[in-house]
Amino acid sequence: MTTLIQYASLNPTPWKNGGGCTTEILASPPGATLHDFDWRISLATIAQSGPFSVFPGIDRTLTLVDGGSVVLDVGNERKVALSEREPVVAFPGEIPVSATVDGVPTTDFNVMTRRERCSHQLERRVVRDYSILERRSALTVLFLAEGETLTVYSSRERMALVRYDAVVLDREEVWTLEAPSATVFIVDIMPNEEDD
């Protein structure tokens, strides 16, 4: 069943280290905690420099939504300046990662999947007028990262999103995304073959 998730209905959770907060958009299975989810999609605000939580066995993709740049030190092996020029970074959750904020808080979109259960892909797409989305996986989540409104419709359903809303697409294979100008994140969750 297609589900619209309105950002206005979600509640942020402050980090234990005080460096930011996270708003969970969706996780599976329903009611899962940070210790037992199969996959999780969230929006985080990084307000201060500091370390990320470590998540063994989890693959993560982080992409910038709003704010200044943040430099990520990934496992003391590489530094990534998450910014408009390089908005996406992927890394294993067991690797220590620390963030250095340039003084302006950032808002970031975060996808996490438990490696032994599933994997994910994230596409960042700019919509001008309209764009066709052909389904590529059993579960697709669409998130409106930039733009005031986005209309998403198929032959049987039609939904209107405002910024930071998400929709879980189900059943229909082809969807049309319509907006004067918008940036959307398309997340595909793929269960491992042995779990099918």
Side-chain angles (χ1 to χ4, degrees):
M1 181 173 146
T2 305
T3 306
L4 176 64
I5 302 169
Q6 296 177 310
Y7 178 71
S9 70
L10 305 176
N11 297 310
T13 302
W15 295 355
K16 289 180 181 178
N17 67 6
C21 64
T22 298
T23 301
E24 182 180 286
I25 296 170
L26 192 62
S28 180
T33 68
L34 283 176
H35 306 291
D36 60 6
F37 64 82
D38 290 343
W39 55 266
R40 184 174 187 257
I41 298 173
S42 61
L43 201 61
T45 299
I46 305 175
Q48 298 175 13
S49 301
F52 281 12
S53 297
V54 175
F55 289 96
I58 302 296
D59 290 322
R60 300 184 66 174
T61 301
L62 197 68
T63 183
L64 183 69
V65 176
D66 196 18
S69 66
V70 57
V71 176
L72 301 180
D73 186 348
V74 182
N76 295 315
E77 295 177 358
R78 63 182 172 125
K79 290 195 176 184
V80 180
L82 201 61
S83 64
E84 289 185 7
R85 292 183 60 188
E86 190 172 354
V88 181
V89 62
F91 54 92
E94 56 267 19
I95 292 179
V97 175
S98 62
T100 302
V101 180
D102 67 2
V104 178
T106 66
T107 301
D108 307 285
F109 184 78
N110 182 33
V111 182
M112 300 193 288
T113 47
R114 192 168 302 280
R115 201 172 299 132
E116 66 181 19
R117 300 300 308 278
C118 56
S119 61
H120 68 270
Q121 292 180 343
L122 187 149
E123 176 191 345
R124 190 174 188 268
R125 182 184 295 191
V126 174
V127 177
R128 295 208 195 310
D129 296 327
Y130 75 94
S131 179
I132 301 300
L133 172 60
E134 295 188 14
R135 294 285 305 285
R136 303 164 287 207
S137 63
L139 180 71
T140 301
V141 179
L142 182 74
F143 175 79
L144 179 56
E146 294 178 17
E148 292 183 11
T149 61
L150 175 74
T151 302
V152 180
Y153 60 91
S154 69
S155 60
R156 291 187 290 183
E157 293 186 82
R158 187 179 192 92
M159 286 155 290
L161 286 71
V162 297
R163 192 174 189 198
Y164 295 170
D165 283 354
V167 62
V168 183
L169 300 179
D170 191 25
R171 295 179 48 164
E172 298 289 347
E173 294 301 316
V174 179
W175 293 83
T176 300
L177 318 180
E178 193 173 276
S181 179
T183 300
V184 298
F185 299 154
I186 303 163
V187 180
D188 289 299
I189 306 290
M190 290 82 66
N192 294 347
E193 289 185 10
E194 59 268 23
D195 295 328
D196 288 347

